[in-house]
Amino acid sequence: MKEDILYHFNLGTSTHDLPATFGDVKFVCVGGSPWRMKSFIEYIAAELALEDPKSEYPNICAGTDRYAMYKVGPVLSVSHGMGIPSISIMLHELIKLLHHAGCTDVTIIRIGTSGGIGLEPGTIVLTKQSVDANFLPKFEQVILGKTVVRSTDLDLGLAEELLQCSKDLSQFETVIGNTMCTMDFYEGQARLDGAFCSYSEKDKQEYLTKAYDAGVCNIEMESSVFAAMCKLSGLRAAVVCVTLLDRLKGDQLTSSHEVLHSYQQRPQILVGHFIKKLMCASAKN
Amino acid sequence: MKEDILYHFNLGTSTHDLPATFGDVKFVCVGGSPWRMKSFIEYIAAELALEDPKSEYPNICAGTDRYAMYKVGPVLSVSHGMGIPSISIMLHELIKLLHHAGCTDVTIIRIGTSGGIGLEPGTIVLTKQSVDANFLPKFEQVILGKTVVRSTDLDLGLAEELLQCSKDLSQFETVIGNTMCTMDFYEGQARLDGAFCSYSEKDKQEYLTKAYDAGVCNIEMESSVFAAMCKLSGLRAAVVCVTLLDRLKGDQLTSSHEVLHSYQQRPQILVGHFIKKLMCASAKN
């Protein structure tokens, strides 16, 4: 792996000058929104009793508005924007950063929101495989004009550990299942409320029912390339997304702002519990 | 087109309650970075002498960190993040907003940065057609699991008007040519400096030379879906990207921070001149 500038992170240094402080990273949490990843680092600092009352948890990538990055103890929290290309740029630079910082045994978890299929809104889905729009567990990457197919399996052992954490907490429903990853939020997810729509409510229901029958529990926009790149680089990876609505019943969010906010906290609560549990266990050993 | 909540813009209102203030929009400029689109609105306000010394140019989408939106007079400036999925969500909601606000004869211009092929860094490319990784002028949209092919032609008359503006200004080189739009910044653009690389410098040079021979002047990550969606919705559209480097000569930026900054101003200067010229012409009629 070539040493170079992590251009989109804009850390103002090349990879061989990376601050030694990255060397202790064991957990990386990634999510779409910079605000949410800041909120996550504040939450995890409190959970791990690593809060510094004076600290503002500075954005490590403050030189850019492409991504935001925060760190407390062994936990790194990074935003990735929306969609496969945006998270793919971030992952290339993150994987290089972890490599050059000499990090080992890193667990990486994407926390996010999604549309559920046949699940009560507020359910967390732990992704087993990320599937494409035809429900196949693969990610197609175009390299030099040729399509390369990559596996989108995630770490099933890790998903099961996270499921156990949800049972420990007993605060919300959590399931393990497949996640459909799409290139578009409107037409790509069979929504009727985009700027264009060339299909009927009936076509939409047929498609979503086929997805449900194929084992798709939820739909989001980043899991396939996340699974593929983590697998290629040997990172233990999970996708933890809460469902904000049941797409079989509609396209628009109908829950109140407060309810949606509480749903959005759930992946953070689950992953916070998981990290705390692992750190307590390793402190005892 | 259904009336509904523009969820990712988080305007706190449904489309039929949109502020009447959007009705006068004639020009929309979009670009990846929220910071840059704020800088653009400040620049255009000064150019059009519409500055309000007290105004802070508030972010209309302040309720979200997904996108940022600014407005001054008939000009709307909106950020779209990185990559096709991110800009596609923004365009769905923007097209709905313009439709429900009753806007007519809108011109939309993407301003951004790109990697050039065989051009001096700092050259502006006005996109004729956006082409895929095999240099074909099409955008593939997956709808209900089926691939739909859409045209990626942009408005050639508009590109020629912009070229004339560059001649008026005589500050930098501008060309009209094809733009390759990729799903990934590293492997998708034949870079050797990503986290993974399965090809050689020779493979890369062969691929980029083929692109050059096919008329590709530059590479970026949003133009194909931008061209396709603008064409479908009848918006007069152009893509104005400056090249920051010549990809035939390398992968990393080598110009100084100051030089890169001046390159990044060029699309803004060109589009600012274009809008001012059109507004002066229409004020005379």
Side-chain angles (χ1 to χ4, degrees):
Chain A
M1 205 181 286
K2 281 179 72 167
E3 307 215 2
D4 56 73
I5 309 288
L6 301 174
Y7 176 62
H8 297 83
F9 282 172
N10 199 4
L11 296 174
T13 179
S14 83
T15 45
H16 61 264
D17 297 322
L18 280 175
T21 176
F22 285 111
D24 65 344
V25 170
K26 289 291 171 196
F27 303 97
V28 183
C29 288
V30 303
S33 148
W35 293 356
R36 188 157 302 280
M37 298 325 289
K38 181 163 196 213
S39 145
F40 178 77
I41 212 72
E42 289 163 355
Y43 178 82
I44 200 77
E47 276 293 290
L48 301 179
L50 289 172
E51 304 150 278
D52 176 356
K54 287 176 214 146
S55 172
E56 289 277 313
Y57 305 108
N59 176 7
I60 298 167
C61 294
T64 177
D65 60 352
R66 301 300 192 178
Y67 302 109
M69 184 188 289
Y70 304 93
K71 183 177 182 299
V72 65
V75 183
L76 203 60
S77 174
V78 194
S79 74
H80 57 59
M82 285 187 285
I84 288 172
S86 187
I87 194 174
S88 125
I89 295 174
M90 189 280 281
L91 287 172
H92 270 286
E93 301 199 1
L94 176 69
I95 291 164
K96 289 199 282 186
L97 185 155
L98 296 174
H99 173 81
H100 289 294
C103 302
T104 53
D105 302 319
V106 174
T107 297
I108 180 165
I109 303 180
R110 163 163 147 69
I111 57 175
T113 58
S114 61
I117 305 190
L119 293 172
E120 269 305 303
T123 305
I124 284 185
V125 178
L126 304 168
T127 305
K128 191 173 168 186
Q129 289 180 314
S130 174
V131 300
D132 67 11
N134 290 304
F135 326 127
L136 300 172
K138 63 187 170 84
F139 174 65
E140 297 189 345
Q141 168 79 51
V142 179
I143 302 177
L144 308 182
K146 292 186 186 68
T147 300
V148 174
V149 176
R150 288 177 174 168
S151 157
T152 56
D153 292 346
L154 287 147
D155 190 307
L156 191 54
L158 178 58
E160 281 163 355
E161 285 176 55
L162 286 158
L163 187 63
Q164 183 55 50
C165 287
S166 179
K167 287 178 187 157
D168 299 348
L169 287 166
S170 198
Q171 291 178 22
F172 38 75
E173 281 299 306
T174 302
V175 300
I176 293 180
N178 287 348
T179 296
M180 181 159 79
C181 182
T182 68
M183 288 293 297
D184 173 58
F185 183 81
Y186 288 98
E187 295 173 288
Q189 297 189 6
R191 277 187 163 80
L192 301 167
D193 60 349
F196 323 115
C197 182
S198 55
Y199 44 88
S200 66
E201 168 75 32
K202 184 166 165 284
D203 300 332
K204 167 196 158 177
Q205 287 295 338
E206 279 176 15
Y207 179 67
L208 293 180
T209 303
K210 271 206 289 186
Y212 178 82
D213 292 343
V216 174
C217 290
N218 63 340
I219 315 176
E220 46 78 90
M221 299 181 64
E222 292 87 14
S223 58
S224 62
V225 75
F226 174 82
M229 290 181 71
C230 293
K231 195 174 166 111
L232 277 176
S233 56
L235 292 167
R236 203 170 169 237
V239 176
V240 179
C241 286
V242 70
T243 62
L244 297 182
L245 75 168
D246 181 356
R247 289 296 317 290
L248 295 176
K249 295 183 181 158
D251 294 334
Q252 297 256 326
L253 299 173
T254 50
S255 304
S256 71
H257 179 78
E258 290 68 32
V259 168
L260 290 172
H261 181 74
S262 79
Y263 290 167
Q264 288 173 6
Q265 302 297 315
R266 292 181 176 180
Q268 161 169 320
I269 293 168
L270 180 57
V271 172
H273 180 79
F274 167 79
I275 293 176
K276 192 176 175 182
K277 192 172 164 182
L278 248 69
M279 284 186 63
C280 290
S282 85
K284 282 185 198 147
N285 290 336
Chain B
M1 204 182 287
K2 281 179 71 168
E3 305 216 2
D4 56 75
I5 309 287
L6 300 174
Y7 176 63
H8 297 83
F9 282 172
N10 199 5
L11 296 175
T13 179
S14 81
T15 44
H16 60 265
D17 298 322
L18 281 175
T21 177
F22 285 111
D24 64 343
V25 170
K26 289 290 172 198
F27 303 96
V28 184
C29 289
V30 304
S33 148
W35 295 354
R36 189 157 302 281
M37 298 325 289
K38 182 165 196 211
S39 144
F40 178 76
I41 211 72
E42 289 162 357
Y43 178 81
I44 200 78
E47 277 293 289
L48 301 179
L50 290 172
E51 302 150 279
D52 174 355
K54 288 175 215 149
S55 172
E56 288 279 311
Y57 305 107
N59 176 6
I60 298 167
C61 294
T64 178
D65 60 352
R66 301 301 190 177
Y67 302 110
M69 185 188 290
Y70 303 93
K71 183 176 183 296
V72 65
V75 183
L76 203 60
S77 173
V78 194
S79 74
H80 56 60
M82 284 187 286
I84 289 172
S86 187
I87 194 175
S88 124
I89 295 174
M90 188 281 281
L91 287 172
H92 270 287
E93 302 199 1
L94 175 69
I95 291 164
K96 289 200 281 187
L97 185 155
L98 297 174
H99 172 81
H100 290 293
C103 301
T104 53
D105 303 319
V106 174
T107 297
I108 181 166
I109 302 179
R110 165 165 146 67
I111 56 175
T113 58
S114 62
I117 305 190
L119 292 173
E120 269 305 303
T123 306
I124 284 185
V125 178
L126 304 168
T127 306
K128 190 172 169 188
Q129 288 180 312
S130 173
V131 301
D132 67 12
N134 290 302
F135 326 128
L136 300 172
K138 63 187 170 86
F139 173 65
E140 296 189 345
Q141 168 79 51
V142 178
I143 302 177
L144 308 182
K146 293 186 186 68
T147 299
V148 174
V149 177
R150 289 176 173 167
S151 157
T152 56
D153 292 345
L154 287 147
D155 190 306
L156 190 55
L158 177 57
E160 281 164 355
E161 284 176 53
L162 286 158
L163 187 65
Q164 182 55 50
C165 287
S166 179
K167 288 177 186 158
D168 299 347
L169 287 167
S170 197
Q171 291 178 23
F172 38 76
E173 280 299 306
T174 302
V175 299
I176 293 180
N178 286 349
T179 297
M180 181 159 77
C181 181
T182 69
M183 288 292 297
D184 174 58
F185 184 80
Y186 289 97
E187 294 173 287
Q189 297 188 6
R191 278 187 161 80
L192 300 166
D193 60 348
F196 323 114
C197 182
S198 55
Y199 43 87
S200 66
E201 168 76 30
K202 183 166 166 283
D203 298 333
K204 167 195 155 176
Q205 288 295 338
E206 279 176 14
Y207 179 66
L208 292 180
T209 303
K210 270 206 290 185
Y212 178 82
D213 293 343
V216 173
C217 290
N218 65 338
I219 315 177
E220 48 76 90
M221 297 180 67
E222 293 87 14
S223 59
S224 61
V225 74
F226 173 82
M229 290 181 71
C230 292
K231 195 174 166 112
L232 277 175
S233 55
L235 290 167
R236 201 169 171 238
V239 176
V240 178
C241 286
V242 70
T243 63
L244 296 183
L245 75 170
D246 181 356
R247 288 297 317 290
L248 295 176
K249 295 183 181 159
D251 294 334
Q252 298 255 327
L253 298 173
T254 50
S255 304
S256 71
H257 179 79
E258 289 67 33
V259 168
L260 290 172
H261 180 75
S262 78
Y263 291 168
Q264 287 172 7
Q265 302 297 314
R266 292 180 176 181
Q268 162 170 318
I269 293 167
L270 179 56
V271 173
H273 180 78
F274 167 78
I275 293 175
K276 192 175 174 181
K277 192 172 165 182
L278 249 68
M279 284 185 63
C280 289
S282 84
K284 281 185 198 147
N285 292 335

